[in-house]
Structures are given as C-alpha cells and as structure tokens.
Amino acid sequence: MGLGQRKEADSSTKSKKSSRSLPREDTPLLPGNGKVQPLSSQLKTFANVLISIVGAGVLGLPYTFMRTGWVTSLLTVFAVAALTFRGMMLLIHTRKKVEDSSLVTSRKITSFGDLGFAVCGSVGRFAVDAMIVLSQAGFCVGYLIFIGNTLANLFNSPSLMLSAGPKVWGISAKALYIWSCFPFQLGLNSIPTLTLLAPLSIFADIVDLGAMGVVIVQDGLMVAKQLPAVEAFGTVSTFFYGLGVAVYSFEGVGMALPLEMEMKDKSKFGKILGLTMLFIAGLYGAFGLMGYFAFGENTMDIITGNMGKGLLSTLVQLGLCINLFFTFPMMMNPVYEVFERSFWNGKYCLWMRWVLVLVVSLVALFVPNFADFLSLVGSSTCCALGFVLPALFHYLAFKDEMSRGQACSDIGMAVLGVFLGVSGTWFSVQEILSVKV
C-alpha cells in the first residue's frame, strides 16, 4: 500500500470512528466495546438476575402487606412475578425475531431502547426512553426518601419527625438530611464514567439481602412472642396500591436483553429466569408476611424503622443509607445517557446533570411516605415497561404469523398493563395527597 493510499485509509478510518463516537437515534444505550466478554454460567446468570431485580423496594413490602391484606399481597406478588417473567421473555423472543429479519442488518440489539427503535422507529425509542427516565429518576427519588426518613427515624424522636413545626433552620429532619446529601450527589453525579462506582452497586445489593435476613430473623422472634391481629384482604383501592409496590419491586425488565446476551447457554435462559423469579417471589412473600405478622397495624412504611435503635439495627439502616447514597449516580446514569443523546449529541453536560439531581431532590422533599412513592412509580412507569411495551413490541414483530389466541394474549397483556397502570397511579396519587392533607 502506498503512502497516499495509507493516508486515505487512515483518514477514512478516523472518519468512521468519529461518526461512531456520536450516538444516533439507533445507537444502543449499552454499546459494546469491541472486546470479547466472558459469558455467564447458569449460576452467574441466576445471581445477575437476582441483583438486577432485588433492591430497596423490598423494604416497603411489609407495610404494603399491612395495607392490602396478607392473602391479597401474596397473590399479587406471585402474579406480578409471572407477568414480569412473561414480559422479559417476550422481549427475548422479539429481539431474536427482529435480528433474524431484514429489519436489522448490521447492529445487534443490546438494550430495550434498541428494540423499541427496531420495531417502532423513533416513536418506540422515545416511548422506552421516556419510561426509563421516569422510572430511573423515580428510583432515585425513592432512595432519597428512604435516606431522609431513615436518618430522621434514627437520630430524631418520633414527635420531632411527625411535627409540622420548624426543626433545624426552619426545615424538617427529613428535608435536612436530603439537602445534606445534595452537594455530595452533585459531585458524584459529575463523574463522566461510573466504572469505579459499579462495585458499590453490587455491594448495595449484598447489603439489601443481608438486611432482609436480619429483619426476617427479628420478625420471627417477634412472631414467636405474640402474633398481632392481621387482615387477610383489603379494599379495591388498597389492591391497586399494593400492585404498584409489587411491580416496582420486580422492576428489572430492561436488563433481560443484556443478561440473555451475556449467558453462555442461551437456550437455558428462560428456565434460569423462571426459577429466579420464583425464588424472588418466595423471598418477597416471606419478607412481607413476616414483617406484617411481627408488627401488625404498627408496621412502618420502611420496615427497618420497626427494628428499634439497637446497635445491629442502626448498623443495618446506616449501611442501607450509605449504599443507596452511592447507588444514586449509578441509577441516574441511564437518565443522563438519554438526555445527552437527545439534546447534546451524546456529549457530556455537567449543568444538565446538576439540574436533574436538583429536580429529583425537590420531588423527594414533597413525598412523605416511602411505600406510597413506590406504588406511584410502580404503577405509572413500571407497568408500561414491564407489561405494555413488551407485549406491544412482540405483537408488532409477530402479528403476521401469530394465531388469534397469541394475538389476543399480547393485546390482553398490553390492555391489562394500561388498566393496572392508570388505576394504580390514580389510587397512589390519592394516597399521597391524603397524607399531605
């Protein structure tokens, strides 16, 4: 190759690299780096699914069991687990169908947003991006509510917490702790790459599981002493309330595509996913049931608040707060990716990140109850991500070859998701406003 040809080739290569560096409408949210990654075994896939789904939302389940009734809540948890499993598998089947067709020729579908764009174009990408922004930001609002309420419960007396009067510098204890986090979150969320924070996210899930174990043991000791009066069923409004919390607790549908791609034996992904979802449903059911049976109508919206103020309880609650504090920028990262790709051509924008952190902090200040907010986010966004969009994308990809029964199944799941989402959102907003009033 001559010198002139080499320069032209180098120029062409640089041109291609620069064109690939700027995300476009069809750019995956989770792009590969070109390197061959080690694939996951069945055990590692089980662990990855567990980590992707189990989070801080589980701490609001005992309160939900109290509000909804323990029989209703158990049935709801397992029903949501089954629907979430089906939604994840619909995404897997749709991705395979689209990749095998002429719709996608050069790019692999690595994320939910990619699939939405492949099936529905810009509208599909926008729908997924909007729901991801709302849900991820909602998770972070829940984290701040948890941190504020937990620290207020640990370091302030109940009378000071519940009083509407001035506390410190004219603000409540919860608001003080949330605003104390704000400048540090500005710094953490300014980090362009979150590689160094990733281990903290995994550690947070380990702490969550450890906290669940400690709480279940203490709940068991309480139940052994005396079983308080409990209710098996609730009202229609409390059912939709509990449904929202359950959907929030199982939200991880967006991880289905990346997790399946990383598995070594992809033919067994459905089996592993089903077993993991069944295990998580059983874990959630036991955790909610034991918490409610231990404290009855006195169950708090964050179950760790019922643990008292002993050394073990304090360490568990502080550990959860610390880990959610460091998980916050990890969960906000997809939000930044969507905003920067949509408005800044994929370029880093510091002031936009700071504005989003401010918005999330302000929302957290005005929502008094942790479980109430879980229900709102679960109903408003997670129902769409977990039920509506997977069924809709699957129907659009397979509509020319599916039977009438299969078509009705997809349409029925989408309609059910819309109904549950709208109803749950309505009742959750009513709950939040009733507390405020």
Side-chain angles (χ1 to χ4, degrees):
M1 179 182 290
L3 181 60
Q5 290 176 316
R6 187 176 302 159
K7 286 183 178 180
E8 290 179 3
D10 291 343
S11 175
S12 175
T13 302
K14 290 179 181 178
S15 166
K16 290 179 181 178
K17 287 184 178 178
S18 63
S19 67
R20 286 197 298 264
S21 63
L22 293 178
R24 305 175 306 181
E25 186 64 31
D26 60 343
T27 300
L29 286 177
L30 299 172
N33 55 11
K35 298 180 180 179
V36 177
Q37 301 292 336
L39 298 179
S40 303
S41 63
Q42 295 183 45
L43 181 60
K44 187 175 180 180
T45 301
F46 175 88
N48 287 339
V49 174
L50 190 67
I51 289 173
S52 300
I53 294 178
V54 176
V58 67
L59 300 175
L61 284 176
Y63 178 81
T64 305
F65 272 57
M66 184 267 291
R67 294 291 306 276
T68 311
W70 66 270
V71 172
T72 303
S73 295
L74 276 178
L75 295 175
T76 302
V77 165
F78 280 92
V80 169
L83 285 172
T84 304
F85 168 75
R86 186 173 190 274
M88 288 180 165
M89 293 308 300
L90 289 180
L91 292 180
I92 300 297
H93 297 323
T94 306
R95 192 256 299 277
K96 292 179 180 177
K97 169 67 174 178
V98 172
E99 286 186 341
D100 291 340
S101 69
S102 59
L103 295 177
V104 176
T105 57
S106 58
R107 288 186 178 273
K108 275 195 168 294
I109 297 174
T110 59
S111 73
F112 203 162
D114 299 338
L115 186 62
F117 181 78
V119 175
C120 299
S122 298
V123 175
R125 167 76 79 177
F126 175 79
V128 175
D129 283 354
M131 291 299 103
I132 286 178
V133 166
L134 292 174
S135 62
Q136 295 293 124
F139 296 155
C140 292
V141 170
Y143 291 169
L144 292 180
I145 296 173
F146 177 89
I147 292 172
N149 285 347
T150 298
L151 294 181
N153 179 65
L154 282 176
F155 302 117
N156 299 85
S157 66
S159 60
L160 287 177
M161 281 181 60
L162 298 176
S163 173
K167 306 297 183 301
V168 181
W169 299 320
I171 61 177
S172 67
K174 169 194 168 184
L176 174 64
Y177 292 121
I178 290 178
W179 282 123
S180 299
C181 295
F182 181 70
F184 299 100
Q185 286 298 341
L186 291 181
L188 287 174
N189 286 268
S190 301
I191 301 174
T193 174
L194 298 177
T195 303
L196 296 177
L197 293 176
L200 290 174
S201 180
I202 298 175
F203 182 59
D205 290 295
I206 295 174
V207 172
D208 284 338
L209 292 173
M212 288 175 64
V214 172
V215 173
I216 287 178
V217 170
Q218 292 205 352
D219 291 345
L221 296 176
M222 292 290 294
V223 172
K225 292 180 181 178
Q226 182 179 1
L227 180 64
V230 294
E231 297 291 337
F233 301 97
T235 62
V236 174
S237 62
T238 58
F239 164 74
F240 286 106
Y241 176 92
L243 178 74
V245 176
V247 173
Y248 179 104
S249 300
F250 277 100
E251 177 51 35
V253 66
M255 293 301 297
L257 298 179
L259 289 174
E260 193 261 353
M261 283 190 66
E262 293 175 2
M263 189 171 179
K264 185 180 301 182
D265 188 356
K266 294 178 175 54
S267 64
K268 296 183 179 179
F269 179 77
K271 176 183 177 181
I272 298 299
L273 179 62
L275 291 175
T276 310
M277 295 298 290
L278 183 62
F279 174 79
I280 294 174
L283 185 66
Y284 281 1
F287 187 79
L289 199 65
M290 292 296 291
Y292 177 36
F293 280 9
F295 302 102
E297 62 180 11
N298 295 318
T299 305
M300 298 181 66
D301 64 314
I302 304 174
I303 188 59
T304 51
N306 287 109
M307 295 176 63
K309 295 186 177 181
L311 178 60
L312 179 61
S313 170
T314 300
L315 290 177
V316 168
Q317 295 180 70
L318 285 177
L320 288 169
C321 289
I322 292 171
N323 283 283
L324 291 181
F325 177 85
F326 285 108
T327 305
F328 184 101
M330 296 291 297
M331 299 301 287
M332 284 295 292
N333 198 50
V335 179
Y336 302 146
E337 287 182 348
V338 170
F339 270 79
E340 289 171 349
R341 172 163 45 79
S342 301
F343 301 106
W344 284 273
N345 292 323
K347 297 179 181 178
Y348 174 85
C349 182
L350 177 62
W351 69 264
M352 180 273 298
R353 294 184 175 218
W354 283 11
V355 168
L356 290 174
V357 173
L358 175 61
V359 171
V360 168
S361 300
L362 290 174
V363 173
L365 292 174
F366 293 101
V367 181
N369 188 286
F370 178 67
D372 287 350
F373 190 77
L374 300 192
S375 178
L376 176 62
V377 175
S379 299
S380 59
T381 63
C382 297
C383 274
L385 280 173
F387 308 151
V388 180
L389 294 180
L392 179 62
F393 292 164
H394 186 265
Y395 172 76
L396 292 175
F398 286 90
K399 62 181 180 180
D400 294 331
E401 57 189 75
M402 62 172 48
S403 64
R404 178 175 296 182
Q406 292 172 328
C408 290
S409 177
D410 282 351
I411 295 174
M413 183 172 176
V415 172
L416 177 65
V418 171
F419 172 74
L420 295 178
V422 172
S423 303
T425 300
W426 171 258
F427 287 113
S428 297
V429 169
Q430 283 187 323
E431 290 288 340
I432 293 175
L433 294 179
S434 66
V435 173
K436 293 292 288 184
V437 174

